[in-house]
Amino acid sequence: MSQSLSRALTILGLLGDGSKSLDELAAVLGVHKTTVLRLLRTMESDRFVSHGADHRYQLGSRLFELANHALEQRDVRTVARPHLAALNSDTGQTVHLATYEAGEVIYIDKFDAQQSVRMYSRVGRPAPLHCTAVGKILVAGRPRAEREEIARRITYTPFTERTITTPEQYLRELELVDEQGFAEDREEHESFVNCVGCAVRNGTGDVVAAVSMSVPDMLLDHQQVLAALPAVRGTAAAISEGLGWRPPDR
């Protein structure tokens, strides 16, 4: 860990116990005040700390945002787990739960297929944005301007001959996801694996996670996987309801 990062984390820990002056922070860190002030100014510019007229520093609003996001993600996994287990039990297929974090889609839970076939995915591992059902769902749930920015910065790694390879193609795919209310990965990430995914919403209607079911085509073909879409959609709806979401027509 870099010295600056270590000092910044120490400052956050100290401020977690209450506000501190520049002199107090410098004394605990054992460095000159100018060194601490440089760190504080950087942290303040990103809202990790703030200070008042009395020149005492305290934790900033950005930390509360991050804490809320962490709690939301933990709650999503807790609420989702029994529903994911039920979908896995009913279908016998691989089931995923993923969230969007810091520009990446991360698998936060997974139930393996009851057969011996195992998917590439792992809890904690990023999922490609452009060729997975969860990636498409979660990016489609972002504001339109952000979608376009994401589409421009993606590295379109061609995992299979079906993988999306351009921003234009990807943005069209996201529009389709919006229209139909679900996403597909039709042998785009792994050859011979089809996947369908649906959005999970919180109480304000924001897309906070995605549920998917993945199946090798040796077990079910594309149409058979699509036939399981109501079960995946029902699972996503049940999790959303557990998070406080109520569809407008209700």
Side-chain angles (χ1 to χ4, degrees), residues 1 4 13 24 52 64 72 78 81 107-108 124 138-139 146 174 182 198 200 210 229 236 244 246:
M1 182 185 300
S4 294
E24 289 170 334
F64 297 111
E72 287 171 4
T78 301
R81 197 145 231 277
Y107 293 112
I108 62 170
L138 289 164
V139 176
E146 187 177 352
L174 296 181
F182 68 93
C198 296
V200 172
L229 176 61
R246 297 294 182 272

Side-chain angles (χ1 to χ4, degrees), residues 220-239:
L220 298 176
D221 63 25
H222 175 246
Q223 288 304 315
Q224 290 172 312
V225 173
L226 279 182
L229 176 61
V232 178
R233 182 173 277 151
T235 298
I239 299 168

Side-chain angles (χ1 to χ4, degrees), residues 104-147:
E104 291 187 316
V105 169
I106 306 293
Y107 293 112
I108 62 170
D109 210 349
K110 178 185 180 183
F111 285 81
D112 280 311
Q114 295 169 17
Q115 297 86 358
S116 60
V117 178
R118 293 291 181 266
M119 301 287 111
Y120 156 88
S121 56
R122 297 286 185 277
V123 171
R125 175 180 287 176
L129 300 179
H130 64 298
C131 60
T132 59
V134 291
K136 294 174 187 178
I137 284 288
L138 289 164
V139 176
R142 312 302 295 177
R144 188 170 299 275
E146 187 177 352
R147 282 192 211 176

Side-chain angles (χ1 to χ4, degrees), residues 3-60:
Q3 192 174 56
S4 294
L5 176 57
S6 178
R7 287 170 178 166
L9 292 174
T10 299
I11 288 171
L12 292 177
L14 292 170
L15 297 182
D17 295 327
S19 66
K20 298 284 187 298
S21 69
L22 177 60
D23 287 337
E24 289 170 334
L25 293 170
V28 173
L29 290 171
V31 298
H32 196 274
K33 289 190 292 185
T34 56
T35 299
V36 180
L37 187 58
R38 281 197 299 270
L39 286 171
L40 288 169
R41 284 174 173 167
T42 298
M43 296 164 73
E44 191 167 20
S45 69
D46 289 325
R47 296 185 292 112
F48 285 102
V49 302
S50 64
H51 76 279
D54 59 358
H55 298 291
R56 293 183 68 82
Y57 289 85
Q58 59 210 2
L59 296 178

Side-chain angles (χ1 to χ4, degrees), residues 190-224:
E190 296 180 81
S191 295
F192 313 116
V193 174
N194 291 298
C195 180
V196 291
C198 296
V200 172
R201 298 180 182 274
N202 64 11
T204 62
D206 294 330
V207 175
V208 295
V211 174
S212 70
M213 187 187 79
S214 302
V215 190
D217 66 2
M218 69 183 74
L219 300 177
L220 298 176
D221 63 25
H222 175 246
Q223 288 304 315
Q224 290 172 312

